[in-house]
Amino acid sequence: MLRLGRREFGAHEPVIMAIVNRTPDSFYDQGATFRDEPALARVEQAVAEGAAIIDVGGVKAGPGDEVTAEEEARRTVGFVAEVRRRFPDVVISVDTWRHEVGEAVCEAGADLLNDAWGGVDPRLAEVAARHGAGLVCTHAGGARPRTRPHRVAYDDVMADILEVTLGLAERAVSLGVPRESVLIDPGHDFGKNTRHSLEATRRLDEMVATGWPVLVSLSNKDFVGETLDKPVKERVLGTLATTAVSAWLGARVYRVHEVAETRQVLDMVASIAGHRPPAVARRGLA
C-alpha cells in the first residue's frame, strides 16, 4: 500500500507526478510556470491528463543564481496553499532539501516532501514526521545541492543506491514518517554519469525487490540526452522508452513533464503485464 495525502494507491497502480516549476530559470521550460496563473493552469491540465501528484519546485536542480530559503518559500508556500484550495484531493509534493521550506509548505497543505538531494538536511525527515507527510528518499551520491557530478565512480552503483536509500527510508520511519508514505528514488543524473543512470535503470528491479515503492525522475534528463545525443526539447521519446522499461521492472511513481504521453505508456505496460484490461477489446470478436 502506498498512501499519500488523502489518496491510497494499489500495488499495480502506476502513479504520475507532474512537475510544476516555480522558478524563472528551469532547464526544461525556462520559467513558463514561474507566475501563478500559468502555474495553476498547468496543475489543472496535469490533473485532467491523469496526474495524481503535483510536484512543486522553487529552486532549479542545476547551478545558477543563489536562491535563499526565504525566496524558495516565497515561490512555493502560497502556491501550495492555492493548489490545496482548488484541488482538495490531489497529492501535493514539494521538491526541497531544506527543513525550513518543508515546514512552511507542510503547514500550507503539502502531503509529500521530495528530497532530491539525499538527506543533506537531516531535519527534513523530522519535519515530514511531525506533519505526517510522506518523504522521497533519494540517492544523490553525496553531492551537494545544485552541483553537477564530476568524475564520480562507484564499485557498484546499485549497491550504493540501495545502501543510501534504504538507510534514509528506515531512518525516516524511525522518526515517525508513516512507512506507507516513504518512497525511494535512484536519483538519475544526481551524483551519477550517464552510464551510472543507465545501469540504475537496468537494475531497477533490485530496488523494487526491497518492498519500498520506487519513484523515478526520468523526464528529459541529461542521461537521456547523452544516450541519444539529443537536446532537451528532443528527449521525449527517450524518456518514454526509459519510462516503459522502469514500469516493466516495477517502479510505482513517475515524475514527468509530459503527463498525457506518460499515461499512455504506463497504461500500455500495465495491460501487457496483465494488470489492466484493454480500454476496448473488439478485434476478432465481432
Side-chain angles (χ1 to χ4, degrees):
M1 176 65 67
L2 173 62
R3 182 178 291 112
L4 300 169
R6 300 183 182 184
R7 302 286 298 273
E8 292 184 356
F9 303 97
H12 298 297
E13 182 179 358
V15 183
I16 295 177
M17 170 189 274
I19 300 165
V20 179
N21 290 314
R22 302 287 289 150
T23 59
D25 53 356
S26 56
F27 90 100
Y28 182 70
D29 58 23
Q30 291 80 52
T33 52
F34 184 48
R35 294 186 300 108
D36 287 350
E37 187 174 327
L40 289 166
R42 160 70 174 162
V43 173
E44 184 173 8
Q45 178 186 13
V47 171
E49 292 177 346
I53 307 173
I54 300 298
D55 191 49
V56 180
V59 185
K60 78 169 186 175
D65 294 340
E66 180 185 2
V67 180
T68 64
E70 292 75 17
E71 173 60 17
E72 184 184 355
R74 188 190 68 79
R75 295 176 179 183
T76 56
V77 175
F79 183 73
V80 166
E82 183 61 16
V83 173
R84 178 83 295 148
R85 186 184 71 81
R86 295 193 187 194
F87 303 91
D89 294 325
V90 76
V91 178
I92 301 176
S93 168
V94 175
D95 181 354
T96 186
W97 73 89
R98 292 165 164 150
H99 75 273
E100 306 97 323
V101 176
E103 187 79 48
V105 296
C106 283
E107 290 177 356
D111 306 298
L112 177 65
L113 297 176
N114 180 12
D115 181 11
W117 291 103
V120 68
D121 182 348
R123 295 176 64 184
L124 189 65
E126 299 171 12
V127 170
R130 186 159 54 251
H131 289 274
L135 184 69
V136 180
C137 300
T138 307
H139 179 273
R144 303 298 300 174
R146 307 193 68 193
T147 61
R148 298 194 188 282
H150 178 68
R151 296 185 179 179
V152 289
Y154 300 94
D155 292 333
D156 183 329
V157 67
M158 182 50 72
D160 204 84
I161 288 170
L162 289 171
E163 180 181 2
V164 170
T165 58
L166 297 184
L168 290 170
E170 292 293 352
R171 176 180 181 270
V173 171
S174 74
L175 290 170
V177 180
R179 180 173 287 271
E180 64 273 18
S181 303
V182 175
L183 303 100
I184 58 174
D185 178 354
H188 290 81
D189 276 357
F190 282 61
K192 300 170 189 67
N193 62 32
T194 290
R195 288 184 174 84
H196 294 143
S197 292
L198 291 172
E199 183 173 350
T201 306
R202 187 163 59 247
R203 298 174 61 186
L204 200 67
D205 56 341
E206 296 177 43
M207 295 188 75
V208 173
T210 67
W212 295 99
V214 175
L215 180 150
V216 287
S217 183
L218 311 167
S219 195
N220 303 294
K221 283 198 166 178
D222 286 346
F223 83 96
V224 175
E226 286 197 351
T227 299
L228 301 177
D229 193 17
K230 295 294 183 182
V232 170
K233 293 298 183 180
E234 297 178 24
R235 297 176 184 176
V236 175
L237 291 178
T239 296
L240 295 177
T242 313
T243 298
V245 171
S246 299
W248 187 257
L249 293 176
R252 296 285 301 282
V253 180
Y254 303 80
R255 183 178 181 271
V256 304
H257 296 98
E258 289 83 17
V259 175
E261 294 87 341
T262 302
R263 181 78 273 163
Q264 288 190 44
V265 168
L266 295 178
D267 284 349
M268 193 69 199
V269 173
S271 296
I272 293 169
H275 304 315
R276 172 188 177 275
V280 178
R282 293 188 292 262
R283 182 174 174 80
L285 300 178

